[in-house]
């Protein structure tokens, strides 16, 4: 009986030692699972979202053990192209909770960036990544023309050559918000003019002035108007077929003149360079 009890005791000790040894020799593998929206693009006006990373281990460890491991490790979050920023990181049990933010996108292209997470500690090394993107902004430009003559100009009866100074600026809107206004070129803008019942010499042209955004519309009406009929002359500037400036030009019939019967009309349209 004593021999049997001794054998049972010996076997129990061997099993206990064996279990302890197996626990010490266990090889743990670690990974992170992510909870949070990585599919939908961030708003172009800027946005902040919360993400949770959970430490997963095989064999499984307790949340308390995971917290000790995480707090004793170096944890680095990095946005590859600095499009997104990470803040308010906190470790609770086996999770890392943090916020990821992006500022307002100031370009029309969609922004995409990779978020890298590196965790290095005495018992683990984890490298993982995921991608986030932000919608491109709505950037709109509005042309503005300022002149002493915004709608009408009357040529004296005797005619002549006249210069109409205009100033062109461009207003920038970002996501429907005003950003700035600055002088700009009329390059790419369409210039149109039309003369109906022109008498003798009537012509026009537009050319750039000395300073950025300064232009001159030159009207040449070197002869008095003496056609027995309706006179119509206008010039205009168009951006994508939208009128940004329109000037109606009037030239009164010269009193006492004999009417010239000949009639001429012409139309001009050009893209400014």
């Amino acid at each position: 009986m004593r021999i049997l009890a001794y054998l049972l005791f010996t076997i129990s000790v061997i099993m206990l030692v064996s279990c302890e040894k197996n626990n010490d020799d266990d090889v743990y593998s670690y990974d992170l699972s992510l909870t949070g929206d990585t599919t939908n693009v961030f708003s172009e006006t800027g946005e902040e979202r919360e993400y949770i990373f959970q430490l997963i281990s095989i064999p499984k460890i307790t949340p308390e053990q995971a917290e000790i491991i995480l707090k004793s490790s170096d944890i680095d979050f990095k946005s590859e192209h600095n499009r997104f920023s990470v803040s308010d990181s906190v470790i609770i049990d086996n999770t890392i909770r943090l916020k990821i933010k992006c500022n307002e996108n100031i370009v029309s292209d969609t922004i995409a960036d990779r978020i890298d997470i590196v965790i290095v500690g005495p018992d683990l090394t984890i490298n993982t990544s995921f991608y986030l993107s932000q919608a491109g902004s709505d950037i709109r430009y509005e042309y503005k023309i300022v002149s002493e003559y915004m709608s009408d100009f009357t040529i004296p009866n005797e005619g002549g050559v006249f210069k109409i100074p205009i100033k062109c600026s461009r207003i920038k809107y970002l996501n429907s918000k005003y950003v700035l206004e600055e002088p700009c070129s009329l390059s790419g803008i369409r210039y149109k003019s039309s003369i109906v019942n022109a008498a003798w010499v009537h012509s026009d042209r537009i050319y750039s002035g000395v300073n950025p955004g300064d232009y001159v519309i030159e009207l040449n009406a070197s002869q008095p108007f003496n056609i027995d009929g309706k006179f119509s002359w206008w010039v205009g500037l168009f951006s994508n077929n939208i009128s940004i400036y329109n000037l109606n030009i009037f030239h009164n019939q010269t009193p006492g003149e004999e009417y010239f019967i000949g009639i001429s009309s012409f139309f001009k349209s050009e893209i400014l360079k």
Side-chain angles (χ1 to χ4, degrees):
M1 189 69 179
R2 288 182 179 179
I3 294 174
L4 179 60
Y6 176 76
L7 287 174
L8 290 173
F9 173 76
T10 303
I11 292 171
S12 298
V13 170
I14 292 172
M15 290 181 64
L16 179 61
V17 170
S18 176
C19 289
E20 289 178 351
K21 186 176 185 301
N22 287 339
N23 287 339
D24 290 340
D25 292 344
D26 279 343
V27 176
Y28 288 83
S29 62
Y30 297 95
D31 201 357
L32 289 176
S33 68
L34 171 62
T35 301
D37 186 357
T38 60
T39 303
N40 295 309
V41 296
F42 278 65
S43 166
E44 66 275 9
T45 58
E47 186 180 346
E48 185 177 69
R49 296 179 186 173
E50 186 173 284
Y51 293 87
I52 299 175
F53 298 88
Q54 182 178 9
L55 182 65
I56 300 173
S57 68
I58 300 175
K60 188 176 182 180
I61 59 177
T62 66
E64 293 78 12
Q65 290 173 315
E67 183 172 336
I68 293 172
I69 291 174
L70 289 173
K71 287 185 176 179
S72 62
S73 302
D74 293 326
I75 303 174
D76 183 33
F77 293 90
K78 183 179 179 182
S79 171
E80 184 183 20
H81 300 294
N82 298 316
R83 306 293 192 182
F84 298 86
S85 59
V86 177
S87 65
D88 299 338
S89 175
V90 61
I91 296 172
I92 301 176
D93 294 332
N94 62 339
T95 64
I96 306 170
R97 301 169 185 265
L98 54 84
K99 293 178 181 178
I100 295 180
K101 181 181 179 181
C102 62
N103 296 322
E104 184 172 25
N105 186 359
I106 60 173
V107 299
S108 58
D109 296 332
T110 298
I111 288 176
D113 206 353
R114 189 183 72 212
I115 309 298
D116 297 320
I117 303 100
V118 179
I119 303 177
V120 178
D123 300 313
L124 82 166
T125 298
I126 298 175
N127 289 276
T128 188
S129 302
F130 63 99
Y131 289 85
L132 296 176
S133 59
Q134 183 182 18
S137 285
D138 172 28
I139 299 176
R140 179 173 59 87
Y141 294 97
E142 180 180 292
Y143 286 91
K144 179 180 176 181
I145 303 292
V146 175
S147 173
E148 180 182 354
Y149 304 97
M150 290 301 296
S151 57
D152 301 327
F153 180 79
T154 300
I155 297 172
N157 291 350
E158 64 273 16
V161 178
F162 306 92
K163 300 180 187 298
I164 311 294
I166 65 173
K167 289 184 176 293
C168 178
S169 61
R170 193 172 67 168
I171 304 172
K172 180 180 179 179
Y173 293 92
L174 178 66
N175 300 319
S176 300
K177 295 185 299 184
Y178 168 87
V179 177
L180 60 85
E181 177 180 346
E182 59 185 354
C184 74
S185 166
L186 286 175
S187 176
I189 297 298
R190 183 172 292 278
Y191 175 75
K192 295 181 181 181
S193 67
S194 174
I195 300 177
V196 179
N197 287 343
W200 302 108
V201 178
H202 286 86
S203 63
D204 60 82
R205 69 186 181 105
I206 183 171
Y207 57 89
S208 58
V210 176
N211 299 314
D214 287 354
Y215 287 83
V216 176
I217 298 175
E218 183 181 271
L219 308 176
N220 187 335
S222 59
Q223 300 289 336
F225 178 62
N226 66 341
I227 286 182
D228 186 11
K230 184 179 180 181
F231 171 76
S232 175
W233 186 6
W234 65 268
V235 297
L237 296 167
F238 294 81
S239 172
N240 297 322
N241 294 322
I242 298 175
S243 175
I244 59 175
Y245 180 71
N246 191 78
L247 183 67
N248 295 303
I249 304 158
F250 302 96
H251 195 176
N252 296 323
Q253 173 67 48
T254 305
E257 289 282 347
E258 291 185 4
Y259 292 143
F260 178 70
I261 304 303
I263 296 176
S264 63
S265 302
F266 55 87
F267 178 81
K268 177 168 61 180
S269 177
E270 61 177 317
I271 299 293
L272 300 178
K273 297 180 179 180

